[in-house]
C-alpha cells in the first residue's frame, strides 16, 4: 500500500518536523503510525514531502523529513460543472470525481435543480462539498487538492466558460459520443452535468455557444454518476489511466 497523505499549510524542509493539530491527531491516534513507518506530507498545491516517523505521542508525530518536491498541475485541467442534485448525491458525486481526478468542481444552480443553496443552508452545503473534496484528495494520495468553486447561476456559468479551452455538455439527446470527441491538448476541459430534470432548452442553447453536446451512451445516468463516468472516459482518453 502507498504511504498515507497528510495535509500541511506549508511544505517543511528536510530535517525534523512536528506533525500536530488535526492531521497529527489522525496520524497518531487514528491511524496509529509507529516509529519507522513512512508517510507523505502535502500542501495541496503540488508540494510533496516524504517523511519517516521518529516518535509518536498522543495527538502528534515527530517526523524526519527525507525529501521534498513539487509536482506540476495536470494539463489539461479537468473541471466538472455539477448541477445541484437531491440529498447527499452531491457529496457522493464530489467524492467520486475527486478520486477519479477532477481538478475543480463548479456547483451549478440549474433552472431545473430541485435543491437550492440559499443563505446559511447554502454555505453549509458548499462546506460539505469542500470537506468531501479535501478528504477524497487525501484518500486518493493527490498532490493537488480538488477545488470546489462557489455556486454559479447559469449567467455566471456562461461567463466562466469563456475562458475554457473546451466545453463538453452531456445530454441524452446528443448524437456525438464522448468517446469520439476530439479533446483539447492543453488548457481547461469543462464537463457540464445537468440536473435530474435535464438541462432546459434555454440553458442548452446558451451552452451550445461553447461546444457541441455529447452523450455517454444509450442509457441515461443519474446526475451524480454521469460526471464520474464521463471523467473516467476523459482520463483514459488522455492517457492518464
Amino acid at each position: 500500500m502507498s504511504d498515507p497523505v497528510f495535509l500541511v499549510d506549508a511544505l517543511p524542509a528536510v530535517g525534523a518536523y512536528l506533525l500536530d493539530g488535526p492531521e497529527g491527531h489522525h496520524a497518531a491516534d487514528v491511524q496509529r503510525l509507529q516509529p519507522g513507518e513512512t508517510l507523505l506530507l502535502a500542501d495541496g498545491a503540488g508540494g510533496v514531502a516524504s517523511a519517516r516517523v521518529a516518535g509518536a505521542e498522543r495527538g502528534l508525530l515527530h517526523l524526519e523529513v527525507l525529501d521534498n518536491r513539487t509536482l506540476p498541475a495536470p494539463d489539461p485541467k479537468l473541471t466538472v460543472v455539477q448541477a445541484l442534485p437531491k440529498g447527499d448525491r452531491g457529496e457522493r458525486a464530489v467524492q467520486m470525481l475527486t478520486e477519479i481526478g477532477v481538478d475543480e468542481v463548479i456547483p451549478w444552480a440549474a433552472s431545473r435543480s430541485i435543491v437550492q443553496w440559499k443563505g446559511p443552508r447554502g454555505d453549509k452545503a458548499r462546506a460539505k462539498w469542500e470537506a468531501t473534496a479535501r478528504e477524497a484528495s487525501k484518500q486518493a494520495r493527490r498532490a493537488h487538492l480538488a477545488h470546489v468553486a462557489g455556486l454559479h447561476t447559469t449567467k455566471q456559468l456562461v461567463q466562466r466558460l469563456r475562458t475554457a479551452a473546451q466545453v463538453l455538455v452531456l445530454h441524452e439527446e446528443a448524437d456525438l459520443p464522448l468517446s469520439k470527441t476530439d479533446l483539447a491538448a492543453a488548457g481547461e476541459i469543462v464537463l457540464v452535468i445537468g440536473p435530474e430534470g435535464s438541462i432546459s432548452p434555454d440553458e442548452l442553447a446558451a451552452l451550445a455557444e461553447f461546444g457541441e453536446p455529447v452523450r455517454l451512451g444509450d442509457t441515461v445516468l443519474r446526475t451524480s454518476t454521469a460526471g464520474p463516468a464521463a471523467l473516467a472516459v476523459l482520463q483514459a482518453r488522455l492517457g492518464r489511466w
Side-chain angles (χ1 to χ4, degrees), residues 5-9 21-24 42-44 94-95 98-99 126-142 144-148:
V5 172
F6 298 93
L7 296 174
V8 293
D9 292 333
E23 295 292 84
D43 63 6
V94 171
Q95 178 182 353
T98 301
E99 292 177 1
R126 181 179 177 276
K128 286 184 178 180
W129 282 32
E130 282 189 313
T132 299
R134 177 185 174 89
E135 290 307 310
S137 294
K138 290 173 58 179
Q139 176 67 34
R141 286 19 175 205
R142 292 182 50 160
H144 294 266
L145 290 182
H147 173 65
V148 177

Side-chain angles (χ1 to χ4, degrees), residues 174-187:
D175 294 323
L176 181 64
L178 178 59
S179 60
K180 301 290 180 62
T181 307
D182 293 331
L183 299 179

Side-chain angles (χ1 to χ4, degrees), residues 37-90:
E37 294 188 89
T38 56
L39 55 84
L40 297 175
L41 302 173
D43 63 6
V48 179
S50 301
R52 180 182 296 113
V53 179
E57 300 179 33
R58 183 171 182 177
L60 58 87
L61 292 179
H62 297 276
L63 302 177
E64 177 190 2
V65 178
L66 306 174
D67 62 63
N68 55 45
R69 56 203 181 277
T70 300
L71 304 177
D75 187 28
K77 173 183 177 180
L78 299 179
T79 297
V80 172
V81 175
Q82 176 64 63
L84 301 181
K86 296 182 294 186
D88 63 354
R89 290 176 183 163

Side-chain angles (χ1 to χ4, degrees), residues 2 16 47 50 53 73 97 190 241:
S2 58
S50 301
V53 179
L97 289 168
V190 180
W241 282 22

